[in-house]
Amino acid sequence: MYYPEEVIEEVRSRNDIVDVISSYVGLKRAGSNYTCCCPFHNEKTPSFSVSKQKQMFYCFGCHEGGNVFSFVMKYEHFTFQEAVKSLAARVGYALPEVEPSEDDKRRADRRQKLRDVNTAAAAYFHYLLTKTERGKLGYQYFREKRGFTDETIGRFGLGFSDIYADDLYKYLKSKGFGDEVMRDAGLVEFDEKRGPHDKFWNRVMVPILDQNGKCIAFGGRVLGDGKPKYMNTKETELFDKSRTLFAFYLARRSRRRGVILCEGYMDVISQHQAGFDNALASLGTAFTPGQASLIKRFTNEVYLAYDSDNAGTMAAKKAIRVLRSQGMSQRVIDLSPHKDPDEFLAAEGAEAYEERIRDAIPGRLFLIRQAAAGYRKNDPEEKAAMIRDVAGQIAESQDPAERASYIETVAEELMLDAGLLKQEVTRIGMMGLAEKEGMSGTEDAEAFVNPETERRVHAGAVYMKDTGRPDEKKGERPDETEAHLLTHMVNRPELFGKLKNYISEEDFSGKVKEVATQLFRQYRDTGQVNPAALLNRFEESGEQREIAGILSRDEPFEIEKEAEEKALTEMVKKLKLREVDRKLRGGEGSAFELAKKKKDIQKLEIHL
């Protein structure tokens, strides 16, 4: 499938990158850009930057970068053409009718076959559980041990995989499915000794649905002493655990406020049966930014109902930080004295659970209480350590009003001196800024109180800061001076005109020269530069990352004209002198003329 370049650019220009990425993750304004924790790798300190002016994103941690198409392709696992279609639909732009390519047809056909084989397996497992004697053990487990009604069993499509290790294989074979699709769906494995054998056998089965209610995977719990106790489908072309949530398809249709995030399938099913149909769960792994982004599409409020044991507490702490990085509300439900929601509902009922939801505490307060619980308050040294730990939790808040509120609440709850706690919060906040920007003393204190000061204080120093990233395609770093100069020119497109007598694309090298050539051409043709449109020419993600990295160097939030002129002069002189020195070393041209040119360059002064 092929769309003309003008169509692609029209779709891109109608989809503001900040608006699009904000629909997936929680962006925060940081000077002229927007930032958040990267949705493509786990991190605690935001390194993912989005430029509204350039219509580009770049992560200084994992080096992922590109334009709005690149983001949607990476996040949704789309092809370029699928990303174009999705973004066109988002803004109501009617794409021209084009004939799908053979590759598009093959890919769509393959994905449909994977859905079909999973759907057939789910129907078979459900049939075994509810209609045959072979599924009696599984049915008893759901009905008697878990207390699920027939209605609940039907709503979730629960099933049973037979004790025979090739039972599903034989059934799917009889339905015309080939070995390849069964293997690629993660349902059947093949080896020389055992031949074809089912991935799941002698387990109660829980189908996992995608956002559209289509079966894409399974979770299975063994009956008896087999290992592992719980098993999920391996990751496939349809199933990415880090971006899938159990019962998301049902929870998104709930009319209840927010969602209740749990650890396991059975907790979710128990809550739905009790009327809490906004419950969902991650899939046997730690909660991820991708899963948080999925929830954020329809609600910003998350209630955590994790197990009350130590493992559950640790998982809740991690989930709170992931949700916070996405700018989402987090509240923790107290399940004590019970272990999990399933046990709580069985012992105390839905009304008591509703009350616990109403009394859920903010995630930050949960973290503070957990931190304080590990210290003996009657031991002076441990109490001092507790104050530092608690203050560190409060200092993480970016909102001065919220910090003040927590200082007051926590001081009262833990019987601490509010003034002392405030001093410690300020000290830790100052240390954080000093580590971030290399600032000190009163500048730190003012910056902690006033973020605008933080952005202004060392603008000139940041301007020439080396933030180079490896050229991932060639294993080399792009020249830092070239990258900084080109970034600044893109930020101030009028410089392409003002500097035309000083520099051209020929003064750049390597990958930077490729980018510079396109940008200089854009300016000559239109009087403007459009770096995001430049990326439309590159479908390969590696090239997009390289270009985004080149154009995403740190820039000052404010810089005086005199300082800018001086910085530009030094960068242009460095590029010019480098080329002259290369020719002198290589014996190219007249040594006398090159020496004269070098003197002229050294005298260069740029005035804007």
Side-chain angles (χ1 to χ4, degrees):
M1 187 179 296
Y2 171 78
Y3 293 109
E5 187 174 332
E6 60 270 19
V7 170
I8 292 171
E9 176 57 15
E10 182 67 25
V11 173
R12 190 205 61 76
S13 64
R14 292 188 182 208
N15 282 275
D16 179 78
I17 194 167
V18 173
D19 292 342
V20 172
I21 295 182
S22 292
S23 69
Y24 290 94
V25 298
L27 292 177
K28 292 184 178 179
R29 189 72 178 261
S32 60
N33 292 337
Y34 295 81
T35 188
C36 68
C37 288
C38 181
F40 303 127
H41 80 285
N42 289 324
E43 61 177 3
K44 294 182 179 179
T45 303
S47 61
F48 185 87
S49 178
V50 184
S51 169
K52 191 176 186 72
Q53 177 188 349
K54 300 174 188 174
Q55 288 294 298
M56 293 171 61
F57 74 91
Y58 188 72
C59 176
F60 292 94
C62 69
H63 319 308
E64 197 66 52
N67 62 8
V68 69
F69 293 126
S70 316
F71 180 87
V72 173
M73 287 168 66
K74 176 73 176 176
Y75 196 93
E76 299 282 10
H77 298 285
F78 281 169
T79 64
F80 180 73
Q81 306 299 343
E82 288 172 333
V84 173
K85 282 176 143 183
S86 174
L87 290 169
R90 177 180 178 273
V91 294
Y93 178 72
L95 290 169
E97 292 292 331
V98 293
E99 182 66 22
S101 69
E102 289 304 313
D103 284 344
D104 289 330
K105 290 178 181 178
R106 280 193 293 270
R107 187 171 186 273
D109 181 60
R110 171 179 167 75
R111 291 173 70 89
Q112 187 57 52
K113 285 180 179 177
L114 290 173
R115 293 188 189 94
D116 290 343
V117 74
N118 276 304
T119 299
Y124 183 61
F125 290 146
H126 187 64
Y127 169 78
L128 288 180
L129 180 80
T130 59
K131 303 295 183 183
T132 72
E133 188 67 21
R134 289 182 289 165
K136 186 176 180 180
L137 283 177
Y139 184 75
Q140 287 176 337
Y141 171 81
F142 282 133
R143 288 285 288 160
E144 297 172 12
K145 186 172 181 63
R146 290 293 179 178
F148 297 160
T149 64
D150 287 342
E151 181 184 358
T152 297
I153 290 171
R155 183 186 310 131
F156 283 89
L158 304 181
F160 176 73
S161 55
D162 210 344
I163 60 173
Y164 304 106
D166 62 351
D167 182 63
L168 178 65
Y169 172 75
K170 290 179 178 177
Y171 172 76
L172 294 175
K173 201 73 173 174
S174 73
K175 292 298 181 182
F177 292 102
D179 290 358
E180 183 180 1
V181 71
M182 285 188 258
R183 181 198 64 211
D184 292 348
L187 294 169
V188 179
E189 297 178 331
F190 298 84
D191 60 51
E192 292 183 2
K193 289 185 178 180
R194 298 174 61 189
H197 54 281
D198 300 345
K199 175 73 172 178
F200 300 97
W201 55 280
N202 193 34
R203 291 176 181 268
V204 287
M205 301 298 294
V206 181
I208 299 170
L209 310 184
D210 64 13
Q211 300 174 50
N212 300 312
K214 305 296 183 183
C215 182
I216 57 172
F218 293 91
R221 184 197 188 282
V222 72
L223 292 181
D225 299 324
K227 299 290 183 180
K229 185 177 181 181
Y230 289 97
M231 180 189 294
N232 286 329
T233 299
K234 68 176 186 179
E235 293 202 345
T236 70
E237 193 173 328
L238 297 180
F239 178 51
D240 180 347
K241 285 190 292 187
S242 69
R243 298 181 187 279
T244 307
L245 289 160
F246 176 67
F248 177 80
Y249 173 68
L250 297 172
R252 69 185 299 184
R253 299 186 296 175
S254 172
R255 295 187 177 183
R256 295 184 64 90
R257 181 174 177 175
V259 298
I260 303 172
L261 180 61
C262 313
E263 290 187 83
Y265 311 118
M266 303 306 172
D267 287 333
V268 170
I269 297 171
S270 294
Q271 287 178 85
H272 277 251
Q273 182 168 281
F276 302 94
D277 59 354
N278 58 335
L280 40 72
S282 50
L283 298 165
T285 56
F287 185 65
T288 68
Q291 291 167 332
S293 300
L294 196 62
I295 294 172
K296 194 172 191 248
R297 295 186 192 182
F298 74 101
T299 183
N300 198 49
E301 295 183 70
V302 178
Y303 293 84
L304 295 172
Y306 279 25
D307 290 1
S308 56
D309 59 12
N310 186 59
T313 298
M314 294 302 295
K317 289 179 180 179
K318 291 178 181 178
I320 288 168
R321 296 192 181 279
V322 170
L323 291 164
R324 186 187 296 169
S325 75
Q326 303 285 342
M328 300 172 70
S329 166
Q330 340 90 39
R331 302 188 79 85
V332 181
I333 301 172
D334 178 12
L335 298 172
S336 62
H338 308 290
K339 178 187 176 184
D340 54 38
D342 185 28
E343 187 178 292
F344 185 100
L345 286 165
E348 302 197 31
E351 188 174 335
Y353 192 62
E354 187 79 73
E355 187 175 340
R356 292 294 179 97
I357 293 173
R358 286 196 298 269
D359 293 340
I361 63 172
R364 194 179 303 279
L365 184 57
F366 175 81
L367 294 178
I368 289 169
R369 287 178 176 174
Q370 289 296 318
Y375 297 95
R376 291 176 297 172
K377 300 178 183 63
N378 58 349
D379 182 309
E381 291 187 2
E382 288 207 20
K383 185 175 182 179
M386 179 193 72
I387 293 172
R388 289 192 293 271
D389 199 344
V390 167
Q393 298 287 347
I394 299 173
E396 288 183 5
S397 172
Q398 301 300 307
D399 184 344
E402 185 179 79
R403 286 198 298 268
S405 177
Y406 269 103
I407 289 169
E408 181 181 347
T409 299
V410 172
E412 182 178 352
E413 185 172 309
L414 299 180
M415 293 182 290
L416 302 174
D417 181 273
L420 177 62
L421 181 59
K422 181 179 180 180
Q423 287 178 12
E424 189 63 16
V425 170
T426 302
R427 185 187 70 81
I428 292 173
M430 288 164 56
M431 288 174 59
L433 289 179
E435 183 178 340
K436 179 181 177 184
E437 295 290 353
M439 301 193 301
S440 62
T442 57
E443 291 171 349
D444 280 330
E446 186 184 353
F448 190 60
V449 175
N450 182 4
E452 287 301 316
T453 303
E454 176 191 352
R455 292 197 287 266
R456 290 197 300 267
V457 170
H458 291 292
V462 173
Y463 186 72
M464 294 300 290
K465 185 179 177 183
D466 180 354
T467 56
R469 303 296 180 221
D471 181 321
E472 296 185 16
K473 186 176 180 181
K474 299 179 180 178
E476 301 174 352
R477 286 181 180 272
D479 184 273
E480 294 305 321
T481 302
E482 294 181 6
H484 277 298
L485 176 58
L486 198 57
T487 295
H488 192 61
M489 293 173 71
V490 168
N491 288 343
R492 292 191 55 198
E494 67 272 17
L495 290 177
F496 281 87
K498 291 182 177 182
L499 299 179
K500 66 181 179 180
N501 294 326
Y502 299 101
I503 196 165
S504 73
E505 57 264 49
E506 296 304 320
D507 293 302
F508 296 87
S509 62
K511 178 61 70 175
V512 184
K513 183 174 182 177
E514 292 182 40
V515 179
T517 299
Q518 296 288 340
L519 293 170
F520 273 91
R521 182 177 298 144
Q522 285 180 351
Y523 189 81
R524 283 194 294 269
D525 292 344
T526 67
Q528 298 178 334
V529 292
N530 191 342
L534 184 154
L535 289 178
N536 292 345
R537 298 172 178 268
F538 302 94
E539 289 194 25
E540 186 182 327
S541 61
E543 290 184 309
Q544 292 183 352
R545 283 196 295 270
E546 291 174 41
I547 296 168
I550 289 168
L551 297 179
S552 299
R553 295 322 199 246
D554 282 345
E555 282 281 273
F557 291 95
E558 294 180 13
I559 185 168
E560 298 295 331
K561 182 180 178 181
E562 183 179 345
E564 181 183 22
E565 290 174 342
K566 183 177 180 180
L568 287 172
T569 298
E570 292 303 315
M571 288 189 283
V572 170
K573 284 167 65 173
K574 184 174 181 179
L575 266 60
K576 293 281 189 182
L577 289 170
R578 179 187 62 190
E579 180 62 14
V580 172
D581 288 340
R582 185 190 67 76
K583 289 181 178 180
L584 282 170
R585 288 194 303 269
E588 299 179 30
S590 165
F592 176 77
E593 290 296 329
L594 289 172
K596 182 177 181 299
K597 186 174 182 179
K598 187 171 183 177
K599 284 185 178 181
D600 290 339
I601 294 172
Q602 289 171 336
K603 296 176 183 177
L604 177 68
E605 288 188 12
I606 293 176
H607 297 286
L608 302 177

